[in-house]
Amino acid sequence: MKKRWLLTAVALIARLTETMIKSKGMEDLSDVKDLTIPGEKQKVSDVLMPGFDGTLATEPYGDGKTYMMPMFYAPTGLFYNKALLKANGWTEPKTFTELMALGDKAKAKGIALFTYPTTGYMDSFTYSLLADIGGKKFFNQAMAYDHDAWAGKDGTQYFNLAGNLVKQSDKTTVSNANNENFRKNQQLILDNKALFMPNGTWVTGEMKDAPRARASNGASWPYQGSQRIRNTRTPTSNRSGCLSRLRTKI
């Protein structure tokens, strides 16, 4: 009951923030970055990692002002079972062509190429994939729901790549992609039933006591940011949270 209440609260807050952004009800937080951190000599801007502000996530109106302040982050990427790849003589794919070719090899052995805990885990993977395909300009256009960006060559490439991955997901992924059963999808990696899944570094803690198939025993949880399966250079994606100051209109 407590978990369901918390998930409901998070969803309501997310919707409220989205509504306030659309209604121009957000307050400018740019001045916060110039404040000195209590008990320290550094300013807030000094401790912000590169790439965590100055994006549509923190500047939803694209006017150079910060309305959403980064609160936390966790590295995300494609996690896989290194032991399984080694046991089959497979090498880590460096391009999407190699990834799809590996999917054909895995399918021949009854192993799915892809799985995901819940649909929400596709978000950080999507951000990296969009940037990999078309660079920062295309990414910003896509995040602004630019029709031509999504309908153009880069947008079509994204849909094709994402569609091919989803088609090669394990047959149980969709039915378990919910808040109650998402660990079953994560378990597919440890059971040698799927090769890759988008996730964050927190998965090691979530699954530390989970059973492992023989080829998984003693294996670590290596992961690769999607920039390692790419055609262009972009930074590793991070799943981050943002704090906002909502302006109440009376």
Side-chain angles (χ1 to χ4, degrees), residues 18-61:
E18 182 178 352
T19 299
M20 296 299 285
I21 290 174
K22 290 180 178 178
S23 64
K24 304 290 186 179
M26 307 295 287
E27 185 173 340
D28 184 5
L29 296 176
S30 301
D31 59 330
V32 174
K33 293 186 289 185
D34 295 325
L35 298 178
T36 300
I37 301 173
E40 300 182 21
K41 295 181 179 180
Q42 292 180 308
K43 294 182 178 180
V44 173
S45 59
D46 296 329
V47 298
L48 289 179
M49 297 180 65
F52 278 76
D53 62 346
T55 70
L56 287 176
T58 58
E59 301 176 3
Y61 305 127

Side-chain angles (χ1 to χ4, degrees), residues 31 49 96 103 124 177 183 219:
D31 59 330
M49 297 180 65
F96 281 104
S124 57
R183 283 186 175 85

